[in-house]
Amino acid sequence: MDICLFFLVVGLIDWIVSHYDVENAPAWYLAGGLVMIIFNSFVPLFLMVASFMRDDYAEGLVKRSLRVMAYGAALIPPFLLIGPWVLGGIFVNTDLRAPDFYREFYNAFYLSEMRPELVLRRVWFLYMLSFVGIFQFLRWKDSR
C-alpha cells in the first residue's frame, strides 16, 4: 500500500506538470505511465479484495476506509450538483459576471459529451486512488 501511495503522488505530480502528449512521449515516459497505471489501479483493487492477505487490524482499516468512501460517494455528488445552481442563481440575480473557473466547470460538467467508457475509467481510477489515500490517512492517524 505504501508503494501505491508513492505512485499516487508521482501520478499527481505528473498530471500537474506533464509536458508530453501520448503521441509525442518518449518510451521511458510511456513505460513509467504503465507502471503508474498498474500501481494506481490494479494493485489497490487486489489489495481491496484480497482479504486472505490481511490481519485483523488491516481488515478493520479496510472496512473503515470503505465506510469513509461510501460517505463521500453519498455526499459529494449533491454538492457538485447543487453548488453550481446556487452560484448560478447568485450570478444571475445580482447581474455579476461569472468567473472563468465557474464557466469552465459549468461547460465541462453540464455541456460536455464524454464517452461513457472514459467516464467509467476515470471514476474507477478515482475510486482506487481515494481508497489508497484514505487507507493511508487512517493508518497514519491510528499510529499517532
Side-chain angles (χ1 to χ4, degrees):
M1 197 58 90
D2 292 333
I3 295 171
C4 292
L5 182 65
F6 170 76
F7 280 108
L8 184 151
V9 172
V10 170
L12 287 176
I13 292 170
D14 176 62
W15 180 64
I16 293 170
V17 298
S18 177
H19 299 287
Y20 298 112
D21 292 330
V22 176
E23 296 85 24
N24 303 330
W28 65 266
Y29 184 78
L30 296 175
L34 180 62
V35 170
M36 274 194 290
I37 287 173
I38 290 170
F39 278 100
N40 286 336
S41 55
F42 296 108
V43 172
L45 174 65
F46 176 74
L47 294 175
M48 187 185 296
V49 298
S51 61
F52 65 89
M53 293 182 57
R54 296 191 288 263
D55 59 2
D56 291 336
Y57 172 72
E59 184 67 29
L61 202 55
V62 166
K63 288 180 181 179
R64 285 174 42 209
S65 300
L66 293 175
R67 188 177 325 124
V68 169
M69 290 175 64
Y71 291 151
L75 294 174
I76 290 172
F79 286 115
L80 287 176
L81 292 172
I82 294 170
W85 291 344
V86 171
L87 287 174
I90 291 170
F91 294 136
V92 168
N93 291 328
T94 59
D95 292 329
L96 293 174
R97 184 174 179 271
D100 292 337
F101 77 87
Y102 175 79
R103 285 186 300 214
E104 289 178 26
F105 175 81
Y106 185 88
N107 289 339
F109 202 73
Y110 291 106
L111 304 177
S112 161
E113 292 186 23
M114 287 184 120
R115 296 185 323 264
E117 166 269 329
L118 182 62
V119 172
L120 183 61
R121 195 168 11 125
R122 287 184 178 178
V123 167
W124 178 57
F125 201 62
L126 179 63
Y127 190 82
M128 291 296 113
L129 294 178
S130 298
F131 174 73
V132 170
I134 292 168
F135 182 91
Q136 292 290 61
F137 176 77
L138 291 175
R139 191 171 80 172
W140 168 79
K141 187 177 158 193
D142 285 351
S143 70
R144 297 186 85 214

